[in-house]
């Protein structure tokens, strides 16, 4: 039982990232502010950049940097926001 726990824990460490980019259906500063507040609660997050510049909403991105970022955990939190706000969010890339 203990070996299975450690195998899962080690596997999770290897899936961590230092930079994660999401496509987010942000339409205003309120959306980017909400996303920033949600992600800042995650201890591994060091910096968040919300790009509202692209004309198409689906091309707007959120770039998160930090040490040992869990992209799946962040995506789950952002999906919860998106469902409540009637927005879209998806994982674009992770490094």
């Amino acid at each position: 039982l203990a070996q299975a726990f450690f195998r899962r824990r080690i596997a999770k460490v290897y899936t961590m990232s230092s930079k994660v980019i999401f496509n987010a259906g942000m339409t205003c500063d309120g959306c980017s502010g909400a996303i920033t507040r949600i992600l800042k609660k995650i201890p591994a997050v060091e910096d968040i950049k919300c790009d509202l510049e692209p004309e198409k909403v689906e091309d707007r991105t959120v770039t998160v940097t930090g040490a040992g970022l869990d992209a799946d955990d962040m995506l789950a939190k952002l999906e919860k926001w998106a469902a409540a706000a009637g927005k879209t969010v998806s994982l674009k890339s992770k490094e």
Side-chain angles (χ1 to χ4, degrees):
L1 186 61
Q3 287 178 338
F5 169 79
F6 287 114
R7 269 190 244 124
R8 283 193 306 268
R9 185 80 172 145
I10 289 170
K12 189 159 184 77
V13 168
Y14 286 115
T15 62
M16 299 285 183
S17 304
S18 61
K19 181 177 180 182
V20 181
I21 302 173
F22 298 96
N23 284 99
M26 302 175 290
T27 55
C28 64
D29 289 334
C31 295
S32 63
I35 287 173
T36 300
R37 283 190 301 278
I38 291 165
L39 295 175
K40 278 192 173 189
K41 293 178 183 177
I42 300 170
V45 172
E46 294 172 6
D47 189 45
I48 303 161
K49 289 192 174 45
C50 295
D51 184 8
L52 292 169
E53 292 299 316
E55 190 171 321
K56 292 183 178 181
V57 173
E58 59 270 9
D59 292 338
R60 296 177 181 176
T61 60
V62 178
T63 303
V64 184
T65 55
L69 296 172
D70 185 341
D72 295 330
D73 180 50
M74 290 188 293
L75 181 59
K77 290 178 185 335
L78 293 178
E79 285 174 334
K80 186 176 178 181
W81 163 80
K87 307 293 181 184
T88 60
V89 67
S90 62
L91 178 64
K92 182 175 182 178
S93 67
K94 57 184 176 177
E95 298 173 12

